[in-house]
Amino acid sequence: MTDVTSKQEAMKSFTDLGTQQRSQIRDIWDQFTTHKGALIGSFVFFGILFAVVIGPWIWTLDPTFVDIRSRNQGVSFAHPFGTDQLGRDLFARMLEGGRVSIAVGLTAMLLSVILGAAVGVVAGFFQKLDGPLMRLTDLFLALPLLPLLLVIVTLFREPLAASFGPEGGIFILMVSAIGITSWMQTARIVRGDVLALKERDFVLAARSIGTPSRRMITRHVLPNVLSPIMVSATLGIANAIITESALSFLGLGFPPDFPTWGRLLFDAIPYMPQYPMWVVWPGVAISLTVLSVNYMGDGLRDALDPRQRSR
Amino acid sequence: MAEPTASGETLVNVSDLKMHFPIYKGLFRRKVGDVKAVDGLSFDIRRGETLGLVGESGCGKSTTGRAVLRLYDPTHGTVSFEGTDVAHLSLEELRKIRPRMQMIFQDPQACLNPRMTVGAIIAEPLIEHESMSKEEREDRVVDLLNAVGLNPAYINRYPHEFSGGQRQRIGIARALALDPDFIVCDEPIAALDVSIQAQVVNLLEDLQKERGLTYLFISHDLSMVRHIADRVAVMYLGKIMELAPRETLFSDPQHPYTKALLSAVPVADPKIEATRERTILKGDVPSPSNPPAGCVFCTRCPIAEKKCFTVAPEWRELNPDQFVACHLA
């Protein structure tokens, strides 16, 4: 009897206090919107994303169309960002290049974060695998990356281009090459955090309940190492965009006439004294993307942490 | 609604339990020794009783509690729970027996996942072991919150929003979720204010009466153990020195270590307190990686004889139900 009445009372107090089931997604969104930087960041990022995805359909100038008579022009209505030394429209090239750069950046970041987090969590959680996995991480850290990338690209460019088309092939190649050479920092940071977390009492409590390891990882470990993963993810996007530009610069990335932000940047370097804006446009685009993603990540990390949320 | 008098039936039997942690050193991580955290314990816990386990810091109390629940794999010995040897069960069988034995932790902050709501924390054991619908589970969680004296409206809050005493109640609710028979309370009140300690201890006692629970109550607070325990075991350096019913232990201690411990409890009368004679132990606890030969207490024992330094004392029943490991008792 007492059970029934107490439950009724409990249900009444739910409504009394006005604290009905709070939806977690709602909570997270509320906290996210209180973070000014995150709001501005996501606004900028989605603006850029929208521009590069929809832009080429609206701004229909061909980014590879050579118009030698209108080369080296400054900012005008016909060419908002001016034209380059071959008379190609820089705005169209920026939009087209942004598609590739952002796609490479996001996918390579995803790959490297997933790889890094998986290696880190497994190494930290299962003591037997710790040694082998961390030595593997050390091995990758010790590899000279640029020569390795050169080898990967020369070895796999042809077969991949044959099966996925020249652009699709090189995209897959770029993303996987950048992904598998940049997961190590994430893995080390995550492993350290997991090692500390594993000794906490709530993991022991889960073990005493009989929670199997895989659910222990998904329920208790992963949510608590979200912060370092988030940070490496946002930094990873910047890293991926810049690595892609370096590779394009070395002639190992996308074909030379295929614009990406990194390639635009490097192509403009010899002309910097005469036409500084050619460097500024892609530079600003890369920086803005990286910065806005960083702020977004920051806001998301705070929003996902219940301790931050209540403040 | 049976009174929690120990029925005499043994629920948990621990025999010659040893828990050694290896020490690795040097370039090749060679094993150079063991930390003998728990070194040959034998005791049983009867259904419905509270066995207090006391001792100073680092003597292996918590390790014993964890080894009994097989949160550690014991180096040697058996822990039988209703006749099943928990220490050597396969992981699958262990998982089946887990719901019957649960644990309450010392640090109420650390034992709750900061990213889960109270509801999710208490529901975790239910998700793992019972097939319930979401509504049934929620009802159960509300019942449990009521049982430990928390407002069920808090179900969607996070642990950091609660005080220490409330967090400990959440921990207790989680331990109760699967209706266990046996709960290891690992210093459940050590991290709480004195006023809250009383509440939590009373809650534990009420729950024991209502649900017929059996406790292994680990503590270093002798007055609290005197209050809650039916029998008390005194541990020193990985071994039990004395095990006796509460009244006997506190009125007629046999082991010199028990006597020293009890004389450290202040008396609430300044006149007696000023004049009473205290046994004050000299020196430090030896390292558990290199315990003394013979009796582990010989280095600090006020009455040690030659024999104590060479021969380990036998675990013997001095009086009915009073066990002592001392040559001279």
PDB file of all heavy atoms in Angstrom, chain B residues 222-248:
ATOM      1  N   LEU B 222      35.958   2.516  14.861  1.00  0.00           N
ATOM      2  CA  LEU B 222      35.596   1.451  15.797  1.00  0.00           C
ATOM      3  C   LEU B 222      34.228   1.670  16.433  1.00  0.00           C
ATOM      4  O   LEU B 222      33.466   0.729  16.621  1.00  0.00           O
ATOM      5  CB  LEU B 222      36.647   1.350  16.897  1.00  0.00           C
ATOM      6  CG  LEU B 222      37.943   0.683  16.449  1.00  0.00           C
ATOM      7  CD1 LEU B 222      39.014   0.874  17.504  1.00  0.00           C
ATOM      8  CD2 LEU B 222      37.706  -0.791  16.204  1.00  0.00           C
ATOM      9  N   SER B 223      33.896   2.944  16.716  1.00  0.00           N
ATOM     10  CA  SER B 223      32.616   3.171  17.384  1.00  0.00           C
ATOM     11  C   SER B 223      31.466   2.825  16.436  1.00  0.00           C
ATOM     12  O   SER B 223      30.432   2.300  16.858  1.00  0.00           O
ATOM     13  CB  SER B 223      32.521   4.614  17.860  1.00  0.00           C
ATOM     14  OG  SER B 223      32.828   5.488  16.807  1.00  0.00           O
ATOM     15  N   MET B 224      31.654   3.119  15.140  1.00  0.00           N
ATOM     16  CA  MET B 224      30.607   2.799  14.177  1.00  0.00           C
ATOM     17  C   MET B 224      30.461   1.289  14.022  1.00  0.00           C
ATOM     18  O   MET B 224      29.348   0.764  13.952  1.00  0.00           O
ATOM     19  CB  MET B 224      30.957   3.457  12.834  1.00  0.00           C
ATOM     20  CG  MET B 224      29.764   3.705  11.962  1.00  0.00           C
ATOM     21  SD  MET B 224      28.420   4.516  12.839  1.00  0.00           S
ATOM     22  CE  MET B 224      28.656   6.214  12.380  1.00  0.00           C
ATOM     23  N   VAL B 225      31.597   0.605  14.000  1.00  0.00           N
ATOM     24  CA  VAL B 225      31.550  -0.856  13.887  1.00  0.00           C
ATOM     25  C   VAL B 225      30.857  -1.447  15.112  1.00  0.00           C
ATOM     26  O   VAL B 225      30.039  -2.355  15.012  1.00  0.00           O
ATOM     27  CB  VAL B 225      32.973  -1.421  13.721  1.00  0.00           C
ATOM     28  CG1 VAL B 225      32.979  -2.919  13.903  1.00  0.00           C
ATOM     29  CG2 VAL B 225      33.510  -1.047  12.355  1.00  0.00           C
ATOM     30  N   ARG B 226      31.174  -0.872  16.262  1.00  0.00           N
ATOM     31  CA  ARG B 226      30.546  -1.350  17.496  1.00  0.00           C
ATOM     32  C   ARG B 226      29.034  -1.184  17.421  1.00  0.00           C
ATOM     33  O   ARG B 226      28.274  -1.986  17.952  1.00  0.00           O
ATOM     34  CB  ARG B 226      31.101  -0.543  18.665  1.00  0.00           C
ATOM     35  CG  ARG B 226      30.583  -1.028  19.979  1.00  0.00           C
ATOM     36  CD  ARG B 226      31.273  -0.317  21.107  1.00  0.00           C
ATOM     37  NE  ARG B 226      31.067  -1.044  22.343  1.00  0.00           N
ATOM     38  CZ  ARG B 226      31.748  -0.831  23.439  1.00  0.00           C
ATOM     39  NH1 ARG B 226      32.715   0.056  23.449  1.00  0.00           N
ATOM     40  NH2 ARG B 226      31.492  -1.518  24.522  1.00  0.00           N
ATOM     41  N   HIS B 227      28.627  -0.130  16.742  1.00  0.00           N
ATOM     42  CA  HIS B 227      27.200   0.145  16.622  1.00  0.00           C
ATOM     43  C   HIS B 227      26.507  -0.831  15.671  1.00  0.00           C
ATOM     44  O   HIS B 227      25.431  -1.342  15.946  1.00  0.00           O
ATOM     45  CB  HIS B 227      27.007   1.582  16.126  1.00  0.00           C
ATOM     46  CG  HIS B 227      25.590   1.938  15.840  1.00  0.00           C
ATOM     47  ND1 HIS B 227      24.678   2.122  16.827  1.00  0.00           N
ATOM     48  CD2 HIS B 227      24.938   2.119  14.674  1.00  0.00           C
ATOM     49  CE1 HIS B 227      23.505   2.413  16.296  1.00  0.00           C
ATOM     50  NE2 HIS B 227      23.640   2.421  14.991  1.00  0.00           N
ATOM     51  N   ILE B 228      27.155  -1.095  14.534  1.00  0.00           N
ATOM     52  CA  ILE B 228      26.424  -1.797  13.472  1.00  0.00           C
ATOM     53  C   ILE B 228      26.735  -3.290  13.389  1.00  0.00           C
ATOM     54  O   ILE B 228      25.883  -4.077  12.985  1.00  0.00           O
ATOM     55  CB  ILE B 228      26.674  -1.107  12.102  1.00  0.00           C
ATOM     56  CG1 ILE B 228      25.628  -1.583  11.079  1.00  0.00           C
ATOM     57  CG2 ILE B 228      28.058  -1.338  11.589  1.00  0.00           C
ATOM     58  CD1 ILE B 228      25.655  -0.816   9.784  1.00  0.00           C
ATOM     59  N   ALA B 229      27.943  -3.708  13.797  1.00  0.00           N
ATOM     60  CA  ALA B 229      28.353  -5.088  13.490  1.00  0.00           C
ATOM     61  C   ALA B 229      27.849  -6.086  14.519  1.00  0.00           C
ATOM     62  O   ALA B 229      27.654  -5.747  15.685  1.00  0.00           O
ATOM     63  CB  ALA B 229      29.871  -5.153  13.397  1.00  0.00           C
ATOM     64  N   ASP B 230      27.630  -7.325  14.075  1.00  0.00           N
ATOM     65  CA  ASP B 230      27.304  -8.404  14.998  1.00  0.00           C
ATOM     66  C   ASP B 230      28.583  -9.085  15.459  1.00  0.00           C
ATOM     67  O   ASP B 230      28.726  -9.464  16.614  1.00  0.00           O
ATOM     68  CB  ASP B 230      26.406  -9.438  14.320  1.00  0.00           C
ATOM     69  CG  ASP B 230      25.087  -8.817  13.910  1.00  0.00           C
ATOM     70  OD1 ASP B 230      24.473  -8.151  14.758  1.00  0.00           O
ATOM     71  OD2 ASP B 230      24.686  -8.977  12.738  1.00  0.00           O
ATOM     72  N   ARG B 231      29.490  -9.278  14.480  1.00  0.00           N
ATOM     73  CA  ARG B 231      30.798  -9.823  14.818  1.00  0.00           C
ATOM     74  C   ARG B 231      31.841  -8.919  14.192  1.00  0.00           C
ATOM     75  O   ARG B 231      31.568  -8.239  13.205  1.00  0.00           O
ATOM     76  CB  ARG B 231      30.952 -11.248  14.279  1.00  0.00           C
ATOM     77  CG  ARG B 231      30.075 -12.254  15.020  1.00  0.00           C
ATOM     78  CD  ARG B 231      30.429 -13.667  14.626  1.00  0.00           C
ATOM     79  NE  ARG B 231      30.348 -13.853  13.185  1.00  0.00           N
ATOM     80  CZ  ARG B 231      31.140 -14.682  12.513  1.00  0.00           C
ATOM     81  NH1 ARG B 231      32.062 -15.376  13.130  1.00  0.00           N
ATOM     82  NH2 ARG B 231      30.995 -14.806  11.206  1.00  0.00           N
ATOM     83  N   VAL B 232      33.036  -8.909  14.762  1.00  0.00           N
ATOM     84  CA  VAL B 232      34.073  -8.007  14.281  1.00  0.00           C
ATOM     85  C   VAL B 232      35.357  -8.774  14.032  1.00  0.00           C
ATOM     86  O   VAL B 232      35.763  -9.612  14.843  1.00  0.00           O
ATOM     87  CB  VAL B 232      34.348  -6.879  15.312  1.00  0.00           C
ATOM     88  CG1 VAL B 232      35.400  -5.922  14.778  1.00  0.00           C
ATOM     89  CG2 VAL B 232      33.074  -6.128  15.642  1.00  0.00           C
ATOM     90  N   ALA B 233      35.975  -8.513  12.884  1.00  0.00           N
ATOM     91  CA  ALA B 233      37.290  -9.071  12.589  1.00  0.00           C
ATOM     92  C   ALA B 233      38.293  -7.931  12.561  1.00  0.00           C
ATOM     93  O   ALA B 233      38.037  -6.882  11.987  1.00  0.00           O
ATOM     94  CB  ALA B 233      37.266  -9.780  11.237  1.00  0.00           C
ATOM     95  N   VAL B 234      39.423  -8.125  13.223  1.00  0.00           N
ATOM     96  CA  VAL B 234      40.454  -7.095  13.266  1.00  0.00           C
ATOM     97  C   VAL B 234      41.604  -7.532  12.358  1.00  0.00           C
ATOM     98  O   VAL B 234      42.135  -8.626  12.505  1.00  0.00           O
ATOM     99  CB  VAL B 234      40.979  -6.899  14.705  1.00  0.00           C
ATOM    100  CG1 VAL B 234      42.058  -5.831  14.728  1.00  0.00           C
ATOM    101  CG2 VAL B 234      39.840  -6.534  15.621  1.00  0.00           C
ATOM    102  N   MET B 235      41.948  -6.672  11.425  1.00  0.00           N
ATOM    103  CA  MET B 235      42.989  -7.033  10.452  1.00  0.00           C
ATOM    104  C   MET B 235      44.250  -6.236  10.705  1.00  0.00           C
ATOM    105  O   MET B 235      44.201  -5.073  11.121  1.00  0.00           O
ATOM    106  CB  MET B 235      42.500  -6.704   9.047  1.00  0.00           C
ATOM    107  CG  MET B 235      42.089  -7.909   8.246  1.00  0.00           C
ATOM    108  SD  MET B 235      41.672  -7.410   6.581  1.00  0.00           S
ATOM    109  CE  MET B 235      43.085  -8.031   5.701  1.00  0.00           C
ATOM    110  N   TYR B 236      45.385  -6.877  10.460  1.00  0.00           N
ATOM    111  CA  TYR B 236      46.652  -6.161  10.521  1.00  0.00           C
ATOM    112  C   TYR B 236      47.576  -6.763   9.481  1.00  0.00           C
ATOM    113  O   TYR B 236      47.807  -7.976   9.477  1.00  0.00           O
ATOM    114  CB  TYR B 236      47.272  -6.302  11.921  1.00  0.00           C
ATOM    115  CG  TYR B 236      48.590  -5.589  12.084  1.00  0.00           C
ATOM    116  CD1 TYR B 236      48.635  -4.217  12.309  1.00  0.00           C
ATOM    117  CD2 TYR B 236      49.799  -6.281  11.989  1.00  0.00           C
ATOM    118  CE1 TYR B 236      49.836  -3.562  12.449  1.00  0.00           C
ATOM    119  CE2 TYR B 236      51.002  -5.631  12.120  1.00  0.00           C
ATOM    120  CZ  TYR B 236      51.028  -4.267  12.357  1.00  0.00           C
ATOM    121  OH  TYR B 236      52.223  -3.623  12.480  1.00  0.00           O
ATOM    122  N   LEU B 237      48.065  -5.949   8.587  1.00  0.00           N
ATOM    123  CA  LEU B 237      49.038  -6.358   7.580  1.00  0.00           C
ATOM    124  C   LEU B 237      48.610  -7.622   6.816  1.00  0.00           C
ATOM    125  O   LEU B 237      49.357  -8.585   6.708  1.00  0.00           O
ATOM    126  CB  LEU B 237      50.400  -6.571   8.246  1.00  0.00           C
ATOM    127  CG  LEU B 237      51.609  -6.391   7.334  1.00  0.00           C
ATOM    128  CD1 LEU B 237      51.713  -4.945   6.886  1.00  0.00           C
ATOM    129  CD2 LEU B 237      52.886  -6.793   8.065  1.00  0.00           C
ATOM    130  N   GLY B 238      47.398  -7.607   6.312  1.00  0.00           N
ATOM    131  CA  GLY B 238      46.960  -8.698   5.443  1.00  0.00           C
ATOM    132  C   GLY B 238      46.476  -9.935   6.166  1.00  0.00           C
ATOM    133  O   GLY B 238      46.165 -10.934   5.537  1.00  0.00           O
ATOM    134  N   LYS B 239      46.446  -9.899   7.499  1.00  0.00           N
ATOM    135  CA  LYS B 239      45.979 -11.079   8.232  1.00  0.00           C
ATOM    136  C   LYS B 239      44.938 -10.665   9.259  1.00  0.00           C
ATOM    137  O   LYS B 239      44.948  -9.527   9.746  1.00  0.00           O
ATOM    138  CB  LYS B 239      47.165 -11.733   8.956  1.00  0.00           C
ATOM    139  CG  LYS B 239      48.131 -12.439   8.026  1.00  0.00           C
ATOM    140  CD  LYS B 239      49.067 -13.293   8.835  1.00  0.00           C
ATOM    141  CE  LYS B 239      49.553 -14.486   8.064  1.00  0.00           C
ATOM    142  NZ  LYS B 239      50.726 -14.350   7.310  1.00  0.00           N
ATOM    143  N   ILE B 240      44.060 -11.610   9.594  1.00  0.00           N
ATOM    144  CA  ILE B 240      43.113 -11.320  10.662  1.00  0.00           C
ATOM    145  C   ILE B 240      43.766 -11.669  11.992  1.00  0.00           C
ATOM    146  O   ILE B 240      44.334 -12.748  12.152  1.00  0.00           O
ATOM    147  CB  ILE B 240      41.798 -12.110  10.486  1.00  0.00           C
ATOM    148  CG1 ILE B 240      41.075 -11.647   9.224  1.00  0.00           C
ATOM    149  CG2 ILE B 240      40.884 -11.889  11.681  1.00  0.00           C
ATOM    150  CD1 ILE B 240      39.700 -12.241   9.069  1.00  0.00           C
ATOM    151  N   MET B 241      43.728 -10.729  12.922  1.00  0.00           N
ATOM    152  CA  MET B 241      44.347 -10.945  14.229  1.00  0.00           C
ATOM    153  C   MET B 241      43.352 -11.557  15.196  1.00  0.00           C
ATOM    154  O   MET B 241      43.690 -12.393  16.002  1.00  0.00           O
ATOM    155  CB  MET B 241      44.841  -9.606  14.802  1.00  0.00           C
ATOM    156  CG  MET B 241      45.880  -8.906  13.962  1.00  0.00           C
ATOM    157  SD  MET B 241      47.509  -9.643  14.140  1.00  0.00           S
ATOM    158  CE  MET B 241      47.627 -10.603  12.662  1.00  0.00           C
ATOM    159  N   GLU B 242      42.118 -11.059  15.105  1.00  0.00           N
ATOM    160  CA  GLU B 242      41.123 -11.538  16.064  1.00  0.00           C
ATOM    161  C   GLU B 242      39.745 -11.424  15.434  1.00  0.00           C
ATOM    162  O   GLU B 242      39.471 -10.466  14.709  1.00  0.00           O
ATOM    163  CB  GLU B 242      41.187 -10.692  17.344  1.00  0.00           C
ATOM    164  CG  GLU B 242      40.253 -11.187  18.426  1.00  0.00           C
ATOM    165  CD  GLU B 242      40.585 -10.611  19.792  1.00  0.00           C
ATOM    166  OE1 GLU B 242      41.547  -9.838  19.899  1.00  0.00           O
ATOM    167  OE2 GLU B 242      39.866 -10.947  20.750  1.00  0.00           O
ATOM    168  N   LEU B 243      38.919 -12.412  15.698  1.00  0.00           N
ATOM    169  CA  LEU B 243      37.554 -12.387  15.192  1.00  0.00           C
ATOM    170  C   LEU B 243      36.642 -12.841  16.322  1.00  0.00           C
ATOM    171  O   LEU B 243      36.820 -13.937  16.853  1.00  0.00           O
ATOM    172  CB  LEU B 243      37.426 -13.329  13.985  1.00  0.00           C
ATOM    173  CG  LEU B 243      36.032 -13.623  13.444  1.00  0.00           C
ATOM    174  CD1 LEU B 243      35.361 -12.352  12.969  1.00  0.00           C
ATOM    175  CD2 LEU B 243      36.114 -14.623  12.313  1.00  0.00           C
ATOM    176  N   ALA B 244      35.711 -11.972  16.714  1.00  0.00           N
ATOM    177  CA  ALA B 244      34.868 -12.314  17.855  1.00  0.00           C
ATOM    178  C   ALA B 244      33.552 -11.588  17.756  1.00  0.00           C
ATOM    179  O   ALA B 244      33.449 -10.587  17.059  1.00  0.00           O
ATOM    180  CB  ALA B 244      35.575 -11.931  19.153  1.00  0.00           C
ATOM    181  N   PRO B 245      32.522 -12.076  18.475  1.00  0.00           N
ATOM    182  CA  PRO B 245      31.278 -11.317  18.547  1.00  0.00           C
ATOM    183  C   PRO B 245      31.569  -9.944  19.135  1.00  0.00           C
ATOM    184  O   PRO B 245      32.495  -9.782  19.931  1.00  0.00           O
ATOM    185  CB  PRO B 245      30.409 -12.134  19.501  1.00  0.00           C
ATOM    186  CG  PRO B 245      30.974 -13.501  19.445  1.00  0.00           C
ATOM    187  CD  PRO B 245      32.430 -13.356  19.184  1.00  0.00           C
ATOM    188  N   ARG B 246      30.755  -8.977  18.723  1.00  0.00           N
ATOM    189  CA  ARG B 246      31.004  -7.581  19.083  1.00  0.00           C
ATOM    190  C   ARG B 246      31.243  -7.386  20.576  1.00  0.00           C
ATOM    191  O   ARG B 246      32.253  -6.820  20.987  1.00  0.00           O
ATOM    192  CB  ARG B 246      29.803  -6.755  18.625  1.00  0.00           C
ATOM    193  CG  ARG B 246      29.782  -5.358  19.158  1.00  0.00           C
ATOM    194  CD  ARG B 246      28.540  -4.650  18.723  1.00  0.00           C
ATOM    195  NE  ARG B 246      27.331  -5.397  19.118  1.00  0.00           N
ATOM    196  CZ  ARG B 246      26.099  -5.032  18.769  1.00  0.00           C
ATOM    197  NH1 ARG B 246      25.917  -3.974  18.014  1.00  0.00           N
ATOM    198  NH2 ARG B 246      25.064  -5.733  19.152  1.00  0.00           N
ATOM    199  N   GLU B 247      30.327  -7.912  21.412  1.00  0.00           N
ATOM    200  CA  GLU B 247      30.427  -7.654  22.844  1.00  0.00           C
ATOM    201  C   GLU B 247      31.723  -8.205  23.403  1.00  0.00           C
ATOM    202  O   GLU B 247      32.431  -7.551  24.169  1.00  0.00           O
ATOM    203  CB  GLU B 247      29.219  -8.264  23.574  1.00  0.00           C
ATOM    204  CG  GLU B 247      27.899  -7.558  23.284  1.00  0.00           C
ATOM    205  CD  GLU B 247      28.011  -6.041  23.418  1.00  0.00           C
ATOM    206  OE1 GLU B 247      28.783  -5.567  24.287  1.00  0.00           O
ATOM    207  OE2 GLU B 247      27.349  -5.329  22.639  1.00  0.00           O
ATOM    208  N   THR B 248      32.046  -9.440  23.001  1.00  0.00           N
ATOM    209  CA  THR B 248      33.256 -10.072  23.499  1.00  0.00           C
ATOM    210  C   THR B 248      34.476  -9.273  23.097  1.00  0.00           C
ATOM    211  O   THR B 248      35.374  -9.020  23.890  1.00  0.00           O
ATOM    212  CB  THR B 248      33.378 -11.502  22.921  1.00  0.00           C
ATOM    213  OG1 THR B 248      32.090 -12.069  22.847  1.00  0.00           O
ATOM    214  CG2 THR B 248      34.312 -12.344  23.729  1.00  0.00           C
TER     215      THR B 248
END
